[in-house]
Structure formats: C-alpha cells, structure tokens
Amino acid sequence: MTMDRMMIQGTGTPLRGQVSISGSKNAALPIMAASLLSEEPLNLHNVPDLNDTRVMMDLLRDIGAQIVLREPQDGELSLSLKSPQNALNPESPMAAARKMRASVIVLGPLLTRLGRATVPLPGGCPIGARPLDVHEDALQALGAVIHYKDNALHAFCEGGLKGATHRLRVPSVGATENAMMAAALASGTSVFHNVAREPEIIDLADCLNAMGANVQGAGTETLTIHGVPRLHSATHTVIPDRIEAMTYLIAAALTRGDVTLTGANKDHIQGEIACLHAMGFDVQAINATTLRLNAAEVQPKPAQLTTAPYPGFPTDIQAQMMVLMTSIAGESRITETIFENRFQHVSALKAMGAHITQNGETCTIHGGFPLHGADVEATDLRASSSLVLAGLVAQGTTTVGGLHHLYRGYVHLPEKLQACGAKVERLGGGSYAHASATGF
Ligand code: EPZ
C-alpha cells in the first residue's frame, strides 16, 4: 500500500456545517488553454489550486506562455497568462501533456494561432479508451491536416483554418472546446451541431467573448462562431465546481446530516437536485449561491439513474451517487453510458460490504446493508472521492490509497469534511507539484 493514504473513522456522526465550493477544474483547464489565443494577458480568478491546474500551467509554460500567479488564497489561484507570438513553440516536447488527458485542449488554440501543433498523446486512462476522433473530425472540417507519429498527434493547416459547418459524432466536451477555440480565429463562420452543453462550455464561450471572440449558442446543441482576426486581454472569474458541489451534497445525504454549500451555482445542478429530491433529499436554495441539504429526518427511497451528456445525469457523480444508494434500503440501479470502464470503484465498495451486482453497463445496488472499514485503493478521480464518502459511514476505520487521483480534482477535501465534523486525516506526505511563478 502507498504511504500517502487517507484515514477515515466511520463515526456515524452526521456531517453538520458549511462547505465553500471552489472554482471548476473542468472550466479552468480549457479557459487556461484559451490564453494561447492572444498576445495580450488573460487574467483569471477562482482557478482551483489542483494538480491538474498545476500541470496545465507547466504545459503552457512548456509551450512558451508566460504565467504570473498570485499564491493561493484558500486553495484558489489568480493567474495572469500571456502568449506572445514569438515565444510560442507549437512543437514543444510538452512533457507535462503525458500526465493529463485534458492536455489535448491546447490543440485547437495552437493550431488556429500558429497554423500547426504537435500534442503528445497521454498515457492510458482507467475509465475508458477516450479516443480523439471527434476532435480530429471537427478540426479537419476547418481545414486541418492531422496525422499520428511518435505517439503524438500532429496537426497542420496551411493558410489558416476556414469556417465550416460540421456535426459532432458525439457531444464530446473536449472536442467542443477544441472546435470552439479553433473556430474563434478561423476566417469566416463555423456552425457545429451536436455539441456538448455543459456549464463549462458556456464559461469558456463567455471568456472567449470577453476576449473579443464571437461565439453564439453555448449551452445549446448548436454553436455558431464568427471568426475574428485576433483576441485581446480580458479578466474572467471561473464558475464554481458543480461536481464538487454535488459530492458534498451527496455526503450530507449519505450521513443524514445538515450541510450548507457557499459559492455554489444551483442552476448548474438542477437535474441532480431533482434526482436527490426523488430520493427524498431536498436541497434548499438560501440564495443563488448558497444551498442547504438537511437530511436529518429523511426516509430515503431507492433510485434508478442513467448517466447522459449534460443536462442529463453526470457521469462524474455516478460513483458518489452509488455510495449514497448503498445507504438506502431497497434496490437501486445505475447505468453508465458515457465511459466504458467507470465502475472500478465497485470492487472496493464490495470489499467494504456493499451488495452490488454489475451486468454490463448497469449496476444494481441492494442498499441498506451496513458498510465496514477496509484498506482500499482509488482508481480514478471520482472513484477516490466516493471511497472517502463510503468511509464516513463504514463501521470502523477505512484507509484510501491512490490519493494522487483525489488531488487532481478536489481542493482541500479532508479539511472541508473535517470542518463538518468528519474524522478524516492524511497518513502520508503527498503534496502538489507546485509550479514556480514567472514574471513577464
Ligand atoms: C470531460 O472529459 C471531463 N473532463 C470529464 O471529467 C467528464 O467525465 C467528461 O467530459 C464527460 O462529461 C474535463 O472537462 C477536463 P468527452 P472529455 O470527450 O472531454 C468519447 C473528471 O472526473 N469520445 O465528453 O475527455 C469518450 O471516449 C473528468 O473531472 C470519443 O469517442 O470527455 C467518452 O466515452 C473525467 N471520441 C465520451 O465520448 C472523441 O474524440 C465523452 O467524452 C472524444 C470523446
């Protein structure tokens, strides 16, 4: 077992208290990459201080971007990023790219800004094959020539990208972001159908438009982008992390506690709140950014859920919701339709006493049986948070390894749970790979 482990005491004590929601990892990463589109500084606030955002900073520096960061305040970074034309190297080794699949998001900006880009292909991914065909098809529609060599994707476009109309095979979040950024500086108008509709897509479009782009339709299934010659400086505050918010609401429901979220955005999780309501857990909106779930007297009901592209039930809270279902007597079901291998947390939950049977892409959860503590290993980001949640209600002590997955996507998770009364502590060292600030 790795030394850096999280130890959770299953005290059975309901979580009670307040949790501040951090900036969205999945909004911050493409928005940081958008800084490659302009000579002028992009100033960002509410960037979560996570391994993934630190890797993105390293990657952007590999390419030649200049980044000034203000040291984190409560886990949030403020950054100023600048990409002078003569400083960028589209064929940089980008060693950092192999650490994170989201690195492919620099492809669209580099290609449209410089006319060529080479992006190393990241290593394997535990939750699925995660091919790049939808990214390729969209960029080729704009005139890019793409080939693979030496485990890297090479893209060229002589004479610059040209606006086009194209339908995505699936509403891929990353491919939508690459297409949007590539089309922002292409000549002419692009229309993309069957695009992703997540709040993170809207946040990227808002940031690009603040930089002088002309992106219409974000949040709907069709994006219309009128290319412009250049983008300019802007300041943007990243939206709250809806997956983090749902993780803590689920923790409150799981422990039958009473937790208030601050700095959240109810509009981003309407569907998920409806799922919790159907199970008997009501989320009260104190105001637009403050949400409260009080589960003290709830007699919850089992549920049947299927993951789907936004605004459907998010695959990123499937593991956490499965843990909640283990605490509810009766038969619940979850069907995972987005990734082909995103049930890896099931074996660890079964080792903790959960009664779960998997049949292809559907898991049946026979809830109401108590969990017991165990030493378990996280396999991916969202599985790691689900195992910590399970430890909160398991009888005895649970330790969770593979915490590097957790540090990719959750700011100060142990501290936020401790503030609500959880007995959670880290047993090992483990820390972020801190990037060094560089001046202009
Ligand atoms: C984004 O990943 C998120 N990551 C993921 O969150 C999230 O689970 C996913 O969207 C779905 O919502 C970031 O935003 C950084 P996709 P992305 O392209 O863009 C297939 C987390 O936990 N596909 O929408 O990589 C793909 O294999 C992470 O924060 C192709 O077939 O996801 C998958 O089955 C995990 N060809 C489905 O589409 C392609 O070219 C959705 O993938 C691209 C995708």
Side-chain angles (χ1 to χ4, degrees), residues 8-11 323 352 371 386-396 398:
I8 309 104
Q9 300 296 345
T11 61
V323 177
M352 296 175 74
L371 302 183
S386 74
L387 297 181
V388 175
L389 297 192
L392 296 174
V393 292
Q395 291 163 355
T398 298

Side-chain angles (χ1 to χ4, degrees), residues 49-254:
D49 187 6
L50 295 165
N51 278 6
D52 273 11
T53 48
R54 294 280 177 168
V55 167
M56 182 57 81
M57 280 193 265
D58 292 344
L59 172 57
L60 292 172
R61 280 198 195 90
D62 284 349
I63 295 169
Q66 298 164 358
I67 302 176
V68 177
L69 69 88
R70 179 169 59 77
E71 277 312 304
Q73 311 285 334
D74 300 326
E76 308 307 333
L77 299 170
S78 286
L79 307 178
S80 188
L81 307 99
K82 194 162 79 164
S83 296
Q85 189 90 7
N86 57 7
L88 296 183
N89 171 8
E91 271 95 27
S92 104
M94 294 190 213
R98 298 198 189 281
K99 299 179 187 170
M100 180 176 66
R101 299 194 65 76
S103 305
V104 72
I105 208 64
V106 302
L107 177 62
L110 278 179
L111 183 59
T112 199
R113 178 89 187 277
L114 301 176
R116 66 192 194 287
T118 295
V119 179
L121 297 177
C125 173
I127 62 177
R130 301 179 84 174
L132 297 175
D133 63 299
V134 180
H135 296 249
E136 285 175 49
D137 294 348
L139 296 177
Q140 284 166 336
L142 300 178
V145 174
I146 291 177
H147 73 273
Y148 289 87
K149 182 165 167 283
D150 303 331
N151 201 24
L153 184 154
H154 301 264
F156 306 86
C157 60
E158 299 304 328
L161 295 175
K162 292 179 179 47
T165 294
H166 175 72
R167 181 175 192 82
L168 276 65
R169 176 177 66 81
V170 295
S172 154
V173 171
T176 300
E177 291 162 348
N178 257 330
M180 187 196 298
M181 289 192 278
L185 293 181
S187 58
T189 294
S190 299
V191 179
F192 295 107
H193 293 291
N194 196 32
V195 296
R197 301 168 53 189
E198 277 74 358
E200 293 78 32
I201 299 293
I202 299 173
D203 205 32
L204 174 60
D206 289 346
C207 181
L208 290 174
N209 287 339
M211 295 168 74
N214 187 339
V215 179
Q216 308 300 325
T220 74
E221 76 90 42
T222 298
L223 277 178
T224 301
I225 299 148
H226 303 284
V228 295
R230 70 188 56 75
L231 299 185
H232 53 67
S233 188
T235 295
H236 183 81
T237 298
V238 172
I239 56 172
D241 194 311
R242 62 190 168 96
I243 306 303
E244 185 195 25
M246 276 307 301
T247 301
Y248 288 107
L249 289 178
I250 289 170
L254 175 67

